[in-house]
Amino acid sequence: GAVVSQHPSRVICKSGTSVKIECRSLDFQATTMFWYRQFPKQSLMLMATSNEGSKATYEQGVEKDKFLINHASLTLSTLTVTSAHPEDSSFYICSASKTSGNEQFFGPGTRLTVL
Amino acid sequence: QQQVKQSPQSLIVQKGGISIINCAYENTAFDYFPWYQQFPGKGPALLIAIRPDVSEKKEGRFTISFNKSAKQFSLHIMDSQPGDSATYFCAARAAFGNEKLTFGTGTRLTIIP
């Protein structure tokens, strides 16, 4: 199979703090990882695409200085929400693909609540 | 041009019935059309996918029908079961440039006994 994990599954933090979310491909090497944000009862919105060892490509309207993405290895990507505010509260989902053009495998998501 | 339009927004089907969800796209560069199933609080999971060189693909109770000329594709769930109650998203991806998936707006499906 192709399993993607995320950690933590839920996180609650105070406004102004930073939160790091990890995305790991457990049984394959992910050349590309994607980060999505999903608000309640809405679709997935792509935030950024990251390739191992290179800078992430952010979608229009996504602040790269606020949402820091690091894809340090072929099995790990991290998303850091810096200076989080209540409006950043959302469901963050990562996905990973094995090679260019192949299927994306999604993680279970991380529920972020900013108080 | 990047949009994928999905309908209906919500759907209620009786157990044993056929659930049909429709999607339409504009970008003719799209060449991969997956459907995802998402349960509350979980990440989406690939259900079935099709490429435009075929008009239909069936996997168990799930069938994708694809109409290239109309730029439409649909998901049919036969013999719908309560366990199929979930949100379904269609998506599309272009062959070149990047691997981004463009998602539809989602359909909340409820199967009633």
Side-chain angles (χ1 to χ4, degrees), chain A residues 32 34 36 38 41-44 46 59 91 93 97 100-104 106-108, chain B residues 9 32 36 38 41-46 51 89 93 99-101 103-106 108:
Chain A
T32 306
F34 305 84
Y36 296 85
Q38 185 179 34
K41 297 186 179 181
Q42 293 190 20
S43 189
L44 285 79
L46 180 66
E59 293 300 298
F91 193 50
I93 307 170
S97 61
S100 179
N102 278 359
E103 176 185 342
Q104 286 186 29
F106 284 83
Chain B
Q9 189 174 12
Y32 174 69
Y36 291 89
Q38 186 179 31
K42 305 292 183 184
L46 179 67
R51 293 195 181 273
F89 293 96
R93 190 192 66 205
E99 304 163 35
K100 290 195 295 186
L101 284 169
F103 280 86
T105 49
R108 178 171 286 191

